[in-house]
């Protein structure tokens, strides 16, 4: 059910769907958040990014002088765009991290920083990565240990390690959080920076994942010298800047439910193609019951998401809203992918390069990636703690 949308937004949805069908890059769909596998894909993703910015589907809320539509742009449109990209199994803009840093620059950056970076972000030429998470500071980001100390010239010297850096191996720049005051409370001693990934002392090491690709990276910063103009905003303002830039990102909030609904529909098709006991699996009562349960759960998630969107639009969002939706999405995604692999039978172990793989290895890829969502963006354990402590008022 796509309730909660006005007729104007549904008209906009039709427009976006047609645009995606006509202009989407010719890249084989993959599960999850993935990087370009080669330079040819990267070129396609950069061009796709440029097109999305050009029509205002990305960056629509930017000030008009930087190419956006200004404050009058409806944030709900971002939700529609995210849903339609998910429905079409189409990649989002390659500028995931660039969208974050652009909001940071628009709200807190200098005019010189905006003029230097924003045009390249819109054109798709400048790729940013997000240098936030650390090996021991994932869900508790404020405990990060990467340090930035002042130099005699007014700049900063940075040392530390970051991890789970999407597009780090393709990035021109990084959006970095580092500790500038080790004596301050952990949320107050952090600053935000832009790091040229070509600087001496920056080392990017791709992480090989069980999906067979390297979408994430470790990034090592060994006495990296940053100029004074690398600082975004004020010293020790980084936590505020990061939360502000993350608060702009709503395009994926509805996409998750659409993604799961699409996968359940694909499960139904799969159940009609494979057999159990010599008959189509879709005729098996247990399969029907399981499919019905998954479908009902996805619709419950969709209802939860749209209720959250309504509260967010009315500035009545609750601290537990996001964690509830995230937890339900990630855990349900694992169950859907598991059923897909099980329906494939022995062929469920085959990858996309195997000729006998069912659905070109889709379900094996979905299954391997689904578990990542129970960790990324806050683990399921952390989400349950937030819901319990902040939503239900239970003791720590």
């Amino acid at each position: 059910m796509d309730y909660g949308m006005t007729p104007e937004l549904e008209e906009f949805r039709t427009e976006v769907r047609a645009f995606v069908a006509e202009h989407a890059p010719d890249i084989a769909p993959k599960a999850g958040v993935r990087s370009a596998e080669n330079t040819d894909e990267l070129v396609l993703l950069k061009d796709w990014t440029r097109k999305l910015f050009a029509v205002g589907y990305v960056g629509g809320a930017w000030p008009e002088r930087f190419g956006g539509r200004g404050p009058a742009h409806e944030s709900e449109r971002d939700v529609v765009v995210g849903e339609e990209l998910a429905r079409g199994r189409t990649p989002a803009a390659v500028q995931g991290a660039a969208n974050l840093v652009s909001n940071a620059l628009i709200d807190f950056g200098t005019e010189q920083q905006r003029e230097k970076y924003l045009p390249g972000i819109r054109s798709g030429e400048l790729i940013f990565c997000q240098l936030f998470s650390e090996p021991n500071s994932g869900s508790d980001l404020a405990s990060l240990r990467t340090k930035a100390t002042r130099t005699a010239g007014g700049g900063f010297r940075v040392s530390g390690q970051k991890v789970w850096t999407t597009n780090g191996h393709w990035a021109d720049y990084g959006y970095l959080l580092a500790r500038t005051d080790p004596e301050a409370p952990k949320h107050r001693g952090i600053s935000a920076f832009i790091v040229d990934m070509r600087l001496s002392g920056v080392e990017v090491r791709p992480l090989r994942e069980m999906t067979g690709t390297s979408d994430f990276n470790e990034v090592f910063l060994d006495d990296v010298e940053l100029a004074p103009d690398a600082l975004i905003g004020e010293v020790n303002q980084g936590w505020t800047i990061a939360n502000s830039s993350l608060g702009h990102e709503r395009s994926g909030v509805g996409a998750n439910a659409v993604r799961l609904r699409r996968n359940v529909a694909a499960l139904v098709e799969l159940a009609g193609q494979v057999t159990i006991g010599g008959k189509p699996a879709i005729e098996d009562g247990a399969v029907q019951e399981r499919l019905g349960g998954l479908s009902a759960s996805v619709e419950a998630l969709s209802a939860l998401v749209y209720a959250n969107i309504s509260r967010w639009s009315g500035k009545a969002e609750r601290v537990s809203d996001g964690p509830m939706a995230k937890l339900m999405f990630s855990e349900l995604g694992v169950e859907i992918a598991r059923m897909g692999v099980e329906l494939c039978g022995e062929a469920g172990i085959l990858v996309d390069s195997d000729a006998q793989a069912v659905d070109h290895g889709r379900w094996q890829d979905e299954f391997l990636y689904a578990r990542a969502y129970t960790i990324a963006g806050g683990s399921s354990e952390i989400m349950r703690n937030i819901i319990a402590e902040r939503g239900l008022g239970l003791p720590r």
Side-chain angles (χ1 to χ4, degrees), residues 305-319:
V305 165
Y306 272 90
N308 290 350
I309 292 172
S310 297
R311 279 190 289 272
W312 154 53
S313 299
K315 300 188 183 304
E317 188 173 12
R318 304 173 304 188
V319 69

Side-chain angles (χ1 to χ4, degrees), residues 5-26:
M5 288 287 164
T6 65
E8 291 77 15
L9 285 173
E10 289 302 336
E11 183 177 346
F12 176 66
R13 182 187 300 280
T14 301
E15 172 194 317
V16 176
R17 190 172 297 180
F19 179 87
V20 170
E22 181 177 355
H23 298 286
D26 185 18

Side-chain angles (χ1 to χ4, degrees), residues 5-233:
M5 288 287 164
T6 65
E8 291 77 15
L9 285 173
E10 289 302 336
E11 183 177 346
F12 176 66
R13 182 187 300 280
T14 301
E15 172 194 317
V16 176
R17 190 172 297 180
F19 179 87
V20 170
E22 181 177 355
H23 298 286
D26 185 18
I27 297 175
K30 309 177 189 74
V33 180
R34 309 294 274 272
S35 290
E37 291 194 17
N38 50 55
T39 53
D40 290 339
E41 281 194 3
L42 185 64
V43 169
L44 291 174
L45 285 171
K46 283 185 170 184
D47 185 60
W48 177 232
T49 297
R50 176 187 60 78
K51 290 176 180 177
L52 290 172
F53 270 105
V55 294
Y57 296 164
V58 177
W62 288 22
E64 294 181 23
R65 62 195 177 99
F66 295 123
R69 298 176 179 176
H73 174 80
E74 296 180 20
S75 297
E76 287 84 353
R77 286 177 169 240
D78 295 337
V79 174
V80 172
V81 171
E83 288 180 335
E84 291 308 311
L85 292 177
R87 181 174 283 108
R89 298 193 75 192
T90 304
V94 72
Q95 302 293 38
N99 291 338
L100 294 179
V101 77
S102 63
N103 289 317
L105 292 175
I106 289 169
D107 292 341
F108 299 94
T110 65
E111 198 63 28
Q112 290 76 18
Q113 288 173 329
R114 295 167 185 154
E115 291 176 356
K116 180 177 181 180
Y117 300 111
L118 293 182
I121 291 173
R122 291 194 73 88
S123 69
E125 285 307 307
L126 291 185
I127 296 181
F128 276 75
C129 62
Q130 182 179 320
L131 300 172
F132 284 15
S133 295
E134 298 186 3
N136 295 308
S137 302
S139 298
D140 183 17
L141 179 59
S143 65
L144 62 85
R145 294 185 292 181
T146 294
K147 295 181 180 179
T149 56
R150 281 284 195 182
T151 62
F156 297 84
R157 182 177 292 107
V158 180
S159 292
Q161 179 185 356
K162 298 294 180 175
V163 75
W164 309 125
T165 305
T166 306
N167 285 325
H169 53 312
W170 298 120
D172 302 292
Y173 295 95
Y175 175 23
L176 169 73
L177 291 184
R179 189 163 302 284
T180 42
D181 186 353
E183 303 302 321
K186 63 181 184 179
H187 294 86
R188 298 180 185 176
I190 297 171
S191 297
F193 302 90
I194 294 177
V195 177
D196 188 329
M197 299 296 285
R198 296 157 293 193
L199 287 174
S200 175
V202 178
E203 181 184 359
V204 179
R205 299 181 189 174
L207 295 168
R208 187 72 169 177
E209 296 138 44
M210 61 183 178
T211 54
T213 57
S214 294
D215 305 291
F216 306 110
N217 305 265
E218 292 179 293
V219 178
F220 295 85
L221 305 155
D222 185 11
D223 286 336
V224 179
E225 296 277 352
L226 301 182
D229 62 359
L231 177 69
I232 304 175

Side-chain angles (χ1 to χ4, degrees), residues 371-391:
R371 186 63 65 181
Y373 279 124
T374 68
I375 303 170
S379 68
S380 291
E381 291 77 12
I382 293 294
M383 295 299 103
R384 291 186 177 99
N385 279 344
I386 293 174
I387 295 167
E389 295 169 16
R390 304 184 190 177

